[in-house]
Amino acid sequence: MVAQPRPAMIEKSPFYELSKKHKVEIDYTPFIRVVGVSLKEFRSQRVEILTHTAIIFTSRTTVDSFFHICEEARITVPESMKYICQTEAVALYLQKYIVYRKRKISFADGSFTSLMELIVKHRDEKFLLALSEPHKPELPETLAKLKLSFDPVILARTVAADLEETNLRSYDLLALYSPSDVKVLVEKFGTHDLPAVGVFGEGTLRAALEAGLTVKAAAPTPEAPSMVKAVDIFITKTESGEEIGDVAVATDPRKEEFLRVQESKLAKKTRKRTVAADNTK
């Protein structure tokens, strides 16, 4: 079972190719729904859109909600606004609302480090950070740690889907994509007598392990850059009778080094400003 909506064109889905390769059935059952906040909820956060020069988007749902809020509130977003997106898919989705221009739309490769590198390149902007609730605190905490100018705003909320008639015992693997998927799974079905679990993203992996779930497949990793590849590896090992070990959280040295370097650069700039100010006295 894949905890995602069924693709509109199933034949073009990589999971479709996987099902043909291994002759397995794949069902699509979203565990969650993400809905945009109301204008009243947005206004209660006391965030002024037009005081910002750049917006950070990590999902298409927050893009929809942002422009819906602007329409309802009769806010005209200036053409000078910059958009920083976590993936190319989110960046291209902006075409639904604005004219796509590379000079004002930038996108990362989906990883946290790539997104942070992109944000740091635009460090002089005042950022509006579009978030869903719940969300991982890693991004706002890192922006604050690097002393960047930003305001977080909740533009969407996650709610549980109706899973009353779902029989998990008929599946061999559950593919989960977010900590919210994990939360709904545990709340609805507990942690015992579950199929093997596969996860996408470090946050989802941490949530699964903290909930007491045993994870047998995970992405992205060097071996499995996508969930499809992670499931492919799981099925191949299962079919060959190979023992599948439990997945544990691995530290990302590239991310730690990136943060260390950025903090060092900011500290040096601060010292230079202080010395320059002292010399003018």
Side-chain angles (χ1 to χ4, degrees), residues 34-281:
V34 183
V35 297
V37 301
S38 67
L39 179 58
K40 182 178 179 181
E41 287 177 287
F42 170 77
R43 283 176 170 163
S44 69
Q45 299 177 70
R46 300 185 183 280
V47 173
E48 295 293 335
I49 290 173
L50 298 181
T51 62
H52 300 83
T53 60
I55 307 172
I56 302 170
F57 285 120
T58 58
S59 72
R60 287 179 287 188
T61 304
T62 52
V63 172
D64 283 331
S65 182
F66 172 78
F67 285 100
H68 176 72
I69 290 292
C70 289
E71 183 180 5
E72 255 198 290
R74 298 181 180 178
I75 296 172
T76 301
V77 182
E79 290 190 4
S80 59
M81 184 71 78
K82 293 181 180 178
Y83 302 89
I84 297 176
C85 306
Q86 188 162 26
T87 64
E88 184 178 11
V90 175
L92 292 173
Y93 190 72
L94 281 167
Q95 293 178 104
K96 182 177 177 181
Y97 299 99
I98 62 173
V99 177
Y100 191 97
R101 292 194 182 93
K102 287 187 178 179
R103 68 174 181 273
K104 70 175 182 179
I105 299 177
S106 308
F107 58 86
D109 63 9
S111 68
F112 175 82
T113 304
S114 175
L115 177 61
M116 283 307 308
E117 287 173 345
L118 191 57
I119 293 171
V120 168
K121 284 182 181 178
H122 297 83
R123 64 169 69 247
D124 294 329
E125 305 292 340
K126 182 173 183 182
F127 300 102
L128 181 66
L129 175 59
L131 297 169
S132 294
E133 184 64 45
H135 60 271
K136 292 186 291 184
E138 186 177 34
L139 183 52
E141 285 179 355
T142 303
L143 293 176
K145 196 173 185 181
L146 296 179
K147 296 181 172 59
L148 299 179
S149 177
F150 79 101
D151 288 310
V153 61
I154 302 300
L155 292 180
R157 299 191 185 281
T158 301
V159 297
D162 182 8
L163 300 171
E164 295 302 322
E165 297 183 6
T166 302
N167 179 17
L168 294 187
R169 292 182 180 178
S170 63
Y171 298 98
D172 297 303
L173 179 72
L174 304 178
L176 309 179
Y177 283 79
S178 72
S180 296
D181 286 338
V182 174
K183 181 181 178 183
V184 171
L185 172 65
V186 173
E187 289 178 349
K188 298 279 186 179
F189 301 99
T191 58
H192 300 292
D193 300 322
L194 294 176
V197 171
V199 299
F200 186 85
E202 183 182 331
T204 311
L205 174 59
R206 290 183 182 278
L209 296 180
E210 288 171 4
L213 301 178
T214 301
V215 179
K216 294 294 186 180
T221 66
E223 185 183 24
S226 67
M227 179 68 96
V228 172
K229 185 59 179 177
V231 175
D232 185 15
I233 292 171
F234 172 85
I235 295 173
T236 300
K237 288 182 177 180
T238 300
E239 290 176 339
S240 66
E242 183 179 343
E243 184 177 350
I244 303 174
D246 297 346
V247 178
V249 175
T251 57
D252 184 350
R254 180 169 172 253
K255 181 169 69 177
E256 296 299 324
E257 176 64 12
F258 169 77
L259 292 177
R260 186 190 66 77
V261 169
Q262 293 304 320
E263 287 185 294
S264 177
K265 285 181 178 178
L266 287 169
K268 287 179 181 178
K269 284 188 176 182
T270 301
R271 285 197 294 271
K272 286 181 179 178
R273 290 194 193 104
T274 302
V275 171
D278 290 340
N279 290 337
T280 60
K281 289 181 181 180

